[in-house]
Amino acid sequence: MFPASAERSFTVAQSVLRSLGWDIDEANLTTGVIRTEPRNVTFKGFVVYGEGTRHVLDVVVHPISGTETSISVKRRVFTEKRIFWAKERKDSRPRSPRWSTPSWTRISRLL
């Protein structure tokens, strides 16, 4: 729980994600969801073919009161095969549960 409004927390969460190198795919203040563009874990991409592991983050900002906000981060890890523009994705398990520590630290410092 963070001592800030939902709007401020939403803005700060987007800023922190961008500062950590994530691109924002979708941000909806009404639902409180910020979804990042996929990033490569072990993905190798060539001109017409690509294969490997990628991941995305879903950050959910939930207002508790006018001055308190809850933020949760969900990480989706998947294997992807791409031939030309056709993509096939299969969910897989993340290897490390400690990936979000820098995100939480930066968000809490900025709020």
Side-chain angles (χ1 to χ4, degrees), residues 70-88:
S70 168
I71 300 176
S72 63
V73 180
K74 296 178 186 175
R75 179 182 182 216
R76 179 177 168 231
V77 179
F78 55 91
T79 57
E80 180 177 289
K81 290 183 182 180
R82 176 183 52 78
I83 299 175
F84 289 106
W85 299 274
K87 294 179 185 176
E88 179 184 324

Side-chain angles (χ1 to χ4, degrees), residues 6-42:
E7 292 82 13
R8 171 113 175 99
S9 299
F10 192 83
T11 302
V12 168
Q14 286 183 81
S15 176
V16 167
L17 288 169
R18 286 188 180 108
S19 74
L20 292 171
W22 290 93
D23 291 326
I24 306 296
D25 179 36
E26 176 185 332
N28 187 332
L29 181 58
T30 305
T31 60
V33 175
I34 304 166
R35 176 167 290 139
T36 64
E37 289 281 339
R39 283 178 69 175
N40 299 340
V41 177
T42 63

Side-chain angles (χ1 to χ4, degrees), residues 94-108:
R95 291 184 182 175
S96 172
R98 299 191 56 136
W99 57 272
S100 67
T101 303
S103 303
W104 289 119
T105 304
R106 288 185 185 192
I107 289 172
S108 64

